[in-house]
Amino acid sequence: MDANVKNDEFAKLSLMDRVAYGLGDFAQNLVFGTVGGFLLFYLSTVNGISAATGATIFLIVRLVNVVWDPWVGATVDRRDPKGGKYLPYIRNFGIPLVILAAMLFLPFGQWFPAIKLPFAFLSYLATAMIYSFVNIPYGALNASLTRDNEEIAKLTTVRMTLANVANLMVYTLFPLFVQLATSVGRESKDIGMFGIHLNLGNYASPQSAGAWFKVYAVYMVIGFIALMITYSKTKERVLPEKSQEQVKYSDLFAEFKRNKPLQILGLFFLVGFTFNFFGSTAWPFFLQYNIGHSEWNGSISLIGSIPGIFLVALWPLIRSKVGKKGFFYLFLAMFSAGSLVLWIWTKTPDTIALGYVGRFLQQWGLTSATGFMWSLVPEVVSYGEYTSKKRVAGIINAIMGLFFKLGLALGGIIPGYINAATGFDGTKKVQSATALMGVQWSMVWLPIIMAIVAGIIIAKYPLTDDKVAEMNHEIENRRNNK
């Protein structure tokens, strides 16, 4: 694609534009939502790898990403493949991504126990590296659709709605499907939804490994179809000029050093996604052991998914009433309130209503605070272009993606190490009081502390809506006057 061809850089996006782009996030949430929510649980219960070892696998892979992701970002910015600036990566790396991701839950440990640990590590490492070649161009694509701030807000609304549909499939339906597909320990259980009883198996048993793989493989087929719709139906409009100086790896460090909004938003991403994935990682442990009702996962997670699907449309209205920063303060406080309700629930674990209320408030706060911040990334890209006259959307999204993945990793690593330090044993049906307290800290107290820290960070964010509009029009005038 010729980047010098004039496009409408302030284009109004159609519903198809928004849906096609949002399906890319839907697909990626099927991949790494499941990884963030269930891989540690799977490794430490089904696959028989200790909690500390599983957490160490997460740590090593994320350390590799620290070097790998910036290189991928610079590569994306530097190259101009046939068929588009960013879209070809989604097509070319979509197939290996879903294949490698499915292998994460391949019951390799059942077939070859002696090498289950290296297989778990290498399959996760390969998946994470290929994921970067989908996720970083996809993130850069966000800033290439339009410069119109209102359109970006609408795009984010649709994108996060579809992302949260994927979260519904991951956190509500995925464990339910695995329990339905598991033959071991089957018994009829009330799933906490309209009195429905289902014949569910024990998905924490090593004999359930095949069920995990089968369900996740189906999810990856769905994810691949969604990625191909993103590739075929999305249009790039706002692109670097051909005359722009060649992007170098070192530009990452220069951009991060001079771009204060990038620094603040990156730190907010890190903290926000850390407590996001704290809850995702700890939730199956919390429900299985602290509450003792894993059969309620589907119904409670279904209630928790409502805000992310049906209330996202309220984001623009709420933002207009309380402002950009007020939006984050409101929903971070709501997340903390929901977490406190879940703590109260541990005192009366048979009271399912507390699970409904706590998860609803927690997820409404979480999906809003960590979802809406993606709409700030195009602002940061524009600020970089405004100050340096160089549009490095790939590098900036690599940085944001790196903070996201570090948050994903820390959200899996730290609960894993807490489990190990407090004596969690995945082979036991009942855990010690110390182990239960460790899970509680991962699910409730540490996420609340990090939500408070996130609020302090976002208070320092300097870009107002008026400043963003001024920058974008100045950039457009520069291009038109060349």
Side-chain angles (χ1 to χ4, degrees):
M1 179 180 293
D2 187 350
N4 287 322
V5 172
K6 295 297 182 183
N7 288 310
D8 180 5
E9 295 193 350
F10 289 84
K12 300 298 182 182
L13 303 179
S14 68
L15 180 60
M16 176 54 74
D17 288 329
R18 299 182 201 127
V19 171
Y21 180 73
L23 283 172
D25 216 346
F26 168 87
Q28 291 173 82
N29 271 24
L30 288 185
V31 176
F32 263 86
T34 311
V35 169
F38 294 101
L39 185 59
L40 183 63
F41 182 83
Y42 172 83
L43 291 178
S44 59
T45 58
V46 178
N47 214 22
I49 293 174
S50 72
T53 302
T56 302
I57 290 174
F58 276 55
L59 175 61
I60 295 172
V61 171
R62 291 306 161 220
L63 289 175
V64 172
N65 275 127
V66 170
V67 178
W68 178 252
D69 281 17
W71 179 83
V72 173
T75 299
V76 169
D77 275 331
R78 185 167 55 246
R79 294 183 178 177
D80 192 15
K82 185 178 179 180
K85 178 72 175 175
Y86 309 114
L87 288 169
Y89 293 96
I90 295 173
R91 176 196 62 199
N92 296 341
F93 290 91
I95 294 176
L97 172 63
V98 297
I99 293 174
L100 288 169
M103 291 177 64
L104 292 172
F105 293 98
L106 190 70
F108 205 78
Q110 303 289 316
W111 304 335
F112 306 103
I115 56 175
K116 66 181 178 183
L117 181 57
F119 178 82
F121 168 69
L122 291 174
S123 61
Y124 187 34
L125 176 63
T127 303
M129 294 178 76
I130 294 298
Y131 179 72
S132 296
F133 267 111
V134 174
N135 179 251
I136 291 172
Y138 176 80
L141 186 62
N142 184 25
S144 78
L145 301 183
T146 183
R147 291 188 187 274
D148 189 304
N149 221 27
E150 291 185 5
E151 290 299 309
I152 289 173
K154 293 177 184 177
L155 176 68
T156 302
T157 297
V158 174
R159 171 189 181 180
M160 297 315 302
T161 299
L162 288 168
N164 287 312
V165 170
N167 286 338
L168 169 67
M169 292 179 64
V170 169
Y171 300 113
T172 301
L173 299 178
F174 180 77
L176 182 62
F177 289 153
V178 174
Q179 290 178 83
L180 286 169
T182 300
S183 59
V184 61
R186 294 180 69 85
E187 59 180 298
S188 179
K189 294 183 179 180
D190 182 351
I191 65 171
M193 189 186 303
F194 311 117
I196 297 173
H197 285 69
L198 293 177
N199 196 23
L200 304 178
N202 178 13
Y203 76 153
S205 166
Q207 285 71 45
S208 69
W212 284 81
F213 174 71
K214 291 173 184 176
V215 175
Y216 193 54
V218 172
Y219 272 40
M220 290 303 93
V221 172
I222 296 170
F224 175 71
I225 293 170
L227 283 174
M228 292 305 100
I229 294 174
T230 299
Y231 165 73
S232 62
K233 299 297 183 181
T234 304
K235 177 177 173 58
E236 301 173 348
R237 298 180 183 89
V238 185
L239 298 169
E241 294 183 289
K242 286 291 188 179
S243 58
Q244 175 175 297
E245 181 185 346
Q246 184 72 272
V247 174
K248 305 181 293 294
Y249 185 90
S250 59
D251 286 332
L252 180 143
F253 304 101
E255 185 66 33
F256 189 72
K257 182 178 180 180
R258 67 171 164 255
N259 194 327
K260 184 178 178 181
L262 174 61
Q263 297 168 11
I264 294 172
L265 189 60
L267 188 58
F268 185 79
F269 262 60
L270 175 61
V271 176
F273 279 109
T274 297
F275 71 75
N276 182 333
F277 286 106
F278 251 83
S280 298
T281 301
W283 175 247
F285 294 97
F286 181 77
L287 202 58
Q288 178 92 7
Y289 300 105
N290 293 64
I291 302 301
H293 288 288
S294 61
E295 72 276 10
W296 289 350
N297 184 76
S299 60
I300 294 174
S301 295
L302 178 63
I303 296 299
S305 70
I306 289 174
I309 298 173
F310 298 106
L311 300 182
V312 173
L314 298 177
W315 287 0
L317 176 62
I318 296 171
R319 183 190 185 283
S320 69
K321 298 295 184 182
V322 301
K324 186 188 298 184
K325 292 182 180 180
F327 182 97
F328 290 107
Y329 301 150
L330 171 64
F331 285 106
L332 288 170
M334 188 179 294
F335 166 80
S336 299
S339 298
L340 287 174
V341 174
L342 292 181
W343 169 68
I344 296 171
W345 189 27
T346 63
K347 309 301 180 183
T348 56
D350 292 331
T351 309
I352 193 172
L354 288 173
Y356 287 147
V357 173
R359 198 61 170 165
F360 180 87
L361 292 175
Q362 191 187 54
Q363 290 302 102
W364 193 4
L366 187 65
T367 56
S368 299
T370 60
F372 189 74
M373 64 185 175
W374 287 103
S375 69
L376 304 187
V377 176
E379 298 180 4
V380 172
V381 173
S382 292
Y383 180 84
E385 185 178 10
Y386 178 75
T387 54
S388 69
K389 298 182 174 61
K390 184 182 289 190
R391 188 173 181 83
V392 288
I395 280 179
I396 287 176
N397 276 278
I399 294 172
M400 303 314 300
L402 181 59
F403 282 120
F404 161 73
K405 290 175 186 176
L406 286 173
L408 166 65
L410 292 173
I413 292 166
I414 297 174
Y417 283 134
I418 290 175
N419 280 356
T422 55
F424 175 85
D425 186 345
T427 65
K428 295 181 178 179
K429 291 186 177 181
V430 178
Q431 302 297 324
S432 68
T434 304
L436 293 177
M437 181 57 67
V439 174
Q440 186 181 117
W441 267 92
S442 296
M443 187 69 208
V444 177
W445 303 116
L446 287 176
I448 289 176
I449 292 170
M450 285 184 280
I452 294 170
V453 172
I456 295 171
I457 293 169
I458 203 63
K460 305 293 184 182
Y461 185 74
L463 294 181
T464 64
D465 290 341
D466 289 341
K467 180 62 177 178
V468 172
E470 175 189 331
M471 291 188 307
N472 280 323
H473 284 289
E474 174 62 27
I475 293 168
E476 184 185 37
N477 289 335
R478 287 178 191 169
R479 293 194 176 198
N480 291 337
N481 291 331
K482 282 190 175 182

